Amino acid sequence: MLRRSLSVGLAVVLVAGLIGCGGNTTTAPRGAAEITPKTQLGGPLYAAAPRKIEQPVLKGSAADYIVVDNSRIVVSDKQDVPSLRNGELRDIMVKEGQVVPAKYTLAKLDARLADADLEIKNAKRIAAVADHEASKKTAAESYQRYQTQLRLQREGKGATSQEDVRAALLTYDRYVSEETSKKAGINLAEQEVAQSKVVLEMHDLKSTVPGIVKTIYKKPGESIKELETVIQIFNIDKVRIEGLVPVQEQQRLVKGMKVLVEPSRQEGPLQTLVGHAKEVTGVAVSNDPKKPLIVSCSDDGTARVWDRATRRSLKYWEHPAGVRAVACGPKAAANLCLTGAADGRARLFDLATLADAPVRELKGQHRGAILCVAFSPDGAYCATGGEDRDIRLWDTATGELKYAFPQLHRGAITSISFTPQSELVSASRDKTLRVWSLLEKGAFPETSIDHRSCDVNS
């Protein structure tokens, strides 16, 4: 975690110019370097750990997925949830990043008027039902009166007249029509109630798709216009992925096959350490398990020691020239820090005492600036690489030069790294990587990875 924060906090901006294709030209070798036979160089420089080659195992499948790295993932199904009414935003029911199902209530508008209107419409519906019941009873009574008039007319005793029969029939027809009208009034009242319910529901903001609440644009108490976006939802069940597959995998591509997608993520720095006056050229972390320190170097001629917890500079070591490289010793030499400067000299400092003067200066120097430094796994040796195309191995305890490597690189040495197998890997501006066997009496070149399209700087 600490190492990642360093690369982001200090080195990312400054090292960015060192990665990838560079515009530096390489110089031609002055002559073929002499290669001493490996059999004459003795045994390994330090005890070589067994080489472990671990095959990646992908969960749930054979480890033969095509990997699509640096993918761009785009959410294709997203929804801007608008307000369907003018009003005041009363409450927001969700938070950004919350996963919600479809038709979930996200926010509410002030619905007091809509509530009141619904109550009024419900009251009207109840009154319409009561009127209809009364008209039904009135129509039934008028029908009985009409039947009475007909019976009296059939008896012929002069108990009623033809005019009374017609009047009773007219009254009955009028009340039947009134009952029909009251029944229609019930339907109208029910439609008005349904309309008020819809208006009330429109005060609740809901998404039609499931997903993640991406953005909330408004706050409670703000006025909202009709169709104004309040919340944005991303449906992560449907995404579009754009990426490039290596050309050598082209023959394996089959529509519908599964691939392993690795998106590229941008992360901001956890911390920013401010103090150097010029470009930061290197960063390292000490191997003290109790209190790891950060060491940075710069073209301002200093190497600074930082306390990660307080972000304070505990010490700065001045150099007569710009400092181009820095490395901290392994656990066996956790108190040592090695710097390489533009004057071609490497210096060892004590991280335990933070003394002003170096513990020792390596006895010798490069003919140009030192660009990279490294410690062996046991801390007994350290190596430097420079603009003069030289790689040199030093005894950490004495500062004496152990030996120089054959000068096979045709450009400046930009990066070196020891391996547990008594090897060293070097990178150069000649567009090559080289692997060297580290033996007692010299370094033997084992492998060269060349024909790169650009400078190999790390």
Side-chain angles (χ1 to χ4, degrees), residues 390-406:
D390 274 349
I391 303 173
R392 299 190 177 196
L393 186 73
W394 312 82
D395 188 301
T396 303
T398 64
E400 297 286 347
L401 177 66
K402 179 77 173 176
Y403 52 73
F405 287 37

Side-chain angles (χ1 to χ4, degrees), residues 153-421:
Q153 186 182 37
R154 285 193 299 271
E155 291 176 356
K157 295 181 180 181
T160 187
S161 65
Q162 185 66 30
E163 287 81 2
D164 290 338
V165 173
R166 291 200 301 270
L169 177 60
L170 179 62
T171 301
Y172 169 64
D173 288 341
R174 186 176 75 246
Y175 283 127
V176 168
S177 298
E178 185 176 335
E179 179 190 356
T180 303
S181 175
K182 298 295 184 181
K183 187 175 182 179
I186 293 176
N187 291 334
L188 178 60
E190 288 178 346
Q191 293 296 326
E192 288 180 346
V193 169
Q195 182 184 45
S196 294
K197 287 182 178 179
V198 171
V199 172
L200 183 61
E201 290 176 357
M202 291 171 70
H203 287 73
D204 293 345
L205 279 64
K206 299 180 179 181
S207 67
T208 59
V209 299
I212 292 179
V213 179
K214 178 63 177 177
T215 309
I216 299 175
Y217 296 104
K218 296 291 182 178
K219 297 179 180 179
E222 292 190 42
S223 297
I224 307 297
K225 294 182 180 180
E226 186 176 347
L227 300 181
E228 184 177 4
T229 299
V230 178
I231 295 175
Q232 187 179 56
I233 301 292
F234 276 11
N235 182 9
I236 58 175
D237 292 336
K238 297 180 180 179
V239 297
R240 183 176 73 250
I241 300 174
E242 300 174 357
L244 298 178
V245 176
V247 66
Q248 63 267 24
E249 305 287 2
Q250 181 179 1
Q251 300 301 321
R252 296 176 57 197
L253 289 177
V254 179
K255 186 176 181 179
M257 71 182 298
K258 292 183 178 181
V259 298
L260 185 63
V261 177
E262 293 183 350
S264 55
R265 296 187 178 94
Q266 295 183 352
E267 295 185 1
L270 297 178
Q271 291 182 349
T272 302
L273 309 179
V274 180
H276 285 293
K278 292 185 179 180
E279 179 181 356
V280 176
T281 53
V283 179
V285 182
S286 72
N287 285 287
D288 185 349
K290 296 181 179 179
K291 188 179 180 181
L293 300 173
I294 302 167
V295 185
S296 61
C297 61
S298 169
D299 271 336
D300 64 4
T302 66
R304 287 182 177 266
V305 182
W306 306 85
D307 185 314
R308 183 175 185 267
T310 63
R311 292 184 290 181
R312 292 177 56 248
S313 176
L314 302 178
K315 187 70 177 179
Y316 66 91
W317 293 309
E318 294 186 351
H319 294 65
V323 187
R324 301 293 179 81
V326 63
C328 291
K331 291 182 179 180
N335 64 319
L336 290 180
C337 174
L338 176 63
T339 63
D343 61 1
R345 293 190 176 275
R347 298 166 177 88
L348 286 165
F349 291 89
D350 192 336
L351 289 171
T353 63
L354 295 180
D356 291 333
V359 176
R360 67 186 57 87
E361 186 175 293
L362 301 187
K363 299 175 182 179
Q365 69 181 103
H366 286 260
R367 299 185 303 276
I370 294 176
L371 302 181
C372 48
V373 295
F375 282 96
S376 64
D378 58 4
Y381 303 95
C382 57
T384 57
E387 284 185 343
D388 57 0
R389 311 197 311 275
D390 274 349
I391 303 173
R392 299 190 177 196
L393 186 73
W394 312 82
D395 188 301
T396 303
T398 64
E400 297 286 347
L401 177 66
K402 179 77 173 176
Y403 52 73
F405 287 37
Q407 198 179 74
L408 299 182
H409 279 296
R410 301 182 305 278
I413 312 300
T414 56
S415 181
I416 53 176
S417 180
F418 286 86
T419 78
Q421 288 75 40

Side-chain angles (χ1 to χ4, degrees), residues 54-66:
E54 298 181 357
Q55 295 295 334
V57 177
L58 301 181
K59 185 177 180 180
S61 68
D64 59 353
Y65 276 145
I66 293 177

